[in-house]
Amino acid sequence: MLIIKLTETKETLDDIERICRHLNEHQELAALMTTEENQDISYILKPTFNINHNEEQKRAHWQKLLNEFTIRDKKGNELRFFRDQPTGALYFGNKQGFETIENMPDH
């Protein structure tokens, strides 16, 4: 079982960029990503001079990563993003870990 809480509520653009930097900095994770996933992360991390920081486009790339990014651990368990519906909190881990969190009274 594995679960990591990434945010307390719906993620901000700063949260999205922080998570993408973390994924990008860990070469073992980057090696498991598809070319398209790496391109999405690169777009999110690309500096911009626009006042809105291209937030709409960055969020579109982020949503795609949330829906499609999965890796497998050594036991073959799928690891992916999960969203807690009552709070909007974002988690990364396996289904068993997320179900354990969901069943806790004060998560």
Side-chain angles (χ1 to χ4, degrees):
M1 172 177 73
L2 171 72
I3 197 73
I4 301 166
K5 189 174 197 177
L6 301 173
T7 65
E8 295 291 329
T9 59
K10 181 85 170 140
E11 59 277 6
T12 65
L13 184 57
D14 285 342
D15 292 327
I16 292 168
E17 290 174 346
R18 176 182 48 83
I19 293 164
C20 286
R21 272 192 307 277
H22 182 76
L23 290 171
N24 197 45
E25 289 169 357
H26 289 80
Q27 296 302 317
E28 61 276 2
L29 290 176
L32 298 173
M33 290 184 231
T34 66
T35 301
E36 192 171 346
E37 290 165 343
N38 277 304
Q39 289 172 344
D40 287 327
I41 288 173
S42 293
Y43 185 89
I44 291 167
L45 295 176
K46 182 172 58 174
T48 179
F49 292 112
N50 288 345
I51 292 172
N52 69 357
H53 303 287
N54 293 342
E55 185 167 357
E56 188 176 320
Q57 294 91 342
K58 288 182 177 189
R59 285 191 177 275
H61 284 273
W62 175 244
Q63 191 59 47
K64 197 167 137 204
L65 279 171
L66 286 178
N67 293 334
E68 297 175 7
F69 178 66
T70 61
I71 56 175
R72 298 225 175 250
D73 65 15
K74 291 180 181 179
K75 296 180 181 178
N77 297 314
E78 181 182 73
L79 303 171
R80 64 179 186 87
F81 292 105
F82 292 90
R83 170 104 39 222
D84 180 52
Q85 293 309 315
T87 66
L90 184 65
Y91 292 86
F92 185 79
N94 62 27
K95 187 175 180 178
Q96 181 186 10
F98 185 66
E99 288 172 348
T100 300
I101 293 291
E102 282 188 305
N103 291 325
M104 294 175 73
D106 291 329
H107 66 284

